[in-house]
Amino acid sequence: MAGDQTSSVTDEITNILGREILGGLFPPGATLLGEEEICARFDASRSAAREAVKILSAKGLLLTRPRRGSRIRPLKDWNFLDPSVLGWLRASATPRHFITELLEVRLAFECEAAALAASRNNADEIAAIREAFEAMRAASSGQGDPVSSDAAFHEAVLAATGNRFFLPLSALIHTALQYSVPTTNALFGHPVGDLDAHGKVLRAIEAGDAARARKAMHDMLSEVLARVRTAVELTGAS
């Protein structure tokens, strides 16, 4: 029971400090609260405070040195692919800025991922993309989750590249869609991601046409980005 309590307090400290760091309360180069200050603020044990600092350090946010406390690391060291870091950033960023950043980085790698998936032409991996697309179609008529099916489609494309270095980017896509799908679907007026656009990506990959797959993915993401940038108001972000 005591172990569970410590874990719960550690999670609370980690999440609150993580949100404060990502929100700019503790900017890069700043000194984080000392161990005693953390204990006092959260009515926590030293072990809970130390564990929270270790977790934040492991995510690239803190540099800890004996007897010198913890400093916030430069932005370039932060692990933005970590689901918790993405969640803390989401909590502090404005919806338009956060969604725009996510779409810009997705444009940088998902287009090439679609092209590679077409080039590799792995039947089992392409079948998984098709399965995810059918789940999106079902979700459009209320028979499934529009976010998880959309995420499954894009994650399946990454897996179909045959390149292991694309796989960690799944966390980024999952968080991006979790946060942005209610907003972008509201902008386009449909309950699930653009089935026609996703279908074009799928058919190009199934045809083994790398150039067409790259263009289809680029067109789809670019259109969403353009809508987000020009929308008078964004709704649905949570």
Side-chain angles (χ1 to χ4, degrees):
M1 182 68 73
D4 290 342
Q5 268 188 331
T6 299
S7 177
S8 175
V9 174
T10 297
D11 289 343
E12 179 187 5
I13 297 170
T14 304
N15 284 316
I16 290 175
L17 292 180
R19 285 195 297 269
E20 290 177 348
I21 293 169
L22 270 292
L25 185 61
F26 297 102
T31 301
L32 188 68
L33 300 174
E35 187 177 293
E36 291 184 2
E37 293 171 298
I38 293 175
C39 291
R41 177 181 174 185
F42 294 97
D43 190 24
S45 66
R46 288 183 177 274
S47 62
R50 287 171 185 162
E51 186 60 28
V53 168
K54 283 182 184 178
I55 293 170
L56 293 170
S57 298
K59 297 178 187 299
L61 302 181
L62 295 180
L63 177 64
T64 58
R65 293 178 180 174
R67 295 183 297 280
R68 295 179 61 181
S70 301
R71 286 191 177 276
I72 311 303
R73 296 180 71 103
L75 212 60
K76 65 181 180 63
D77 295 333
W78 297 4
N79 183 4
F80 286 108
L81 297 183
D82 182 276
S84 295
V85 175
L86 280 168
W88 299 330
L89 180 61
R90 183 180 78 177
S92 64
T94 61
R96 192 187 306 273
H97 187 210
F98 186 63
I99 294 173
T100 296
E101 283 191 309
L102 290 171
L103 284 166
E104 286 172 345
V105 76
R106 289 179 63 196
L107 268 166
F109 69 82
E110 282 199 69
C111 305
E112 195 57 34
L116 280 172
S119 298
R120 298 285 193 256
N121 200 25
N122 181 295
D124 290 339
E125 302 287 8
I126 292 174
I129 302 173
R130 164 64 68 178
E131 182 179 351
F133 178 75
E134 295 302 333
M136 288 184 67
R137 196 199 299 276
S140 71
S141 58
Q143 300 177 344
D145 179 16
V147 177
S148 62
S149 57
D150 202 339
F153 180 94
H154 290 275
E155 289 170 15
V157 171
L158 294 188
T161 64
N163 185 323
R164 293 171 293 180
F165 290 98
F166 274 98
L167 299 182
L169 298 170
S170 291
L172 176 66
I173 287 178
H174 200 83
T175 298
L177 291 172
Q178 229 179 5
Y179 183 71
S180 65
V181 158
T183 297
T184 54
N185 286 355
L187 286 176
F188 284 90
H190 45 56
V192 70
D194 188 337
L195 288 174
D196 182 56
H198 283 77
K200 288 178 180 177
V201 174
L202 170 63
R203 289 189 293 275
I205 292 174
E206 287 179 329
D209 191 329
R212 185 155 59 97
R214 183 186 291 109
K215 183 179 186 303
M217 184 67 82
H218 183 274
D219 289 349
M220 175 169 63
L221 295 176
S222 293
E223 185 178 4
V224 177
L225 179 57
R227 290 285 189 98
V228 170
R229 282 174 168 162
T230 58
V232 174
E233 184 179 2
L234 295 183
T235 60
S238 60

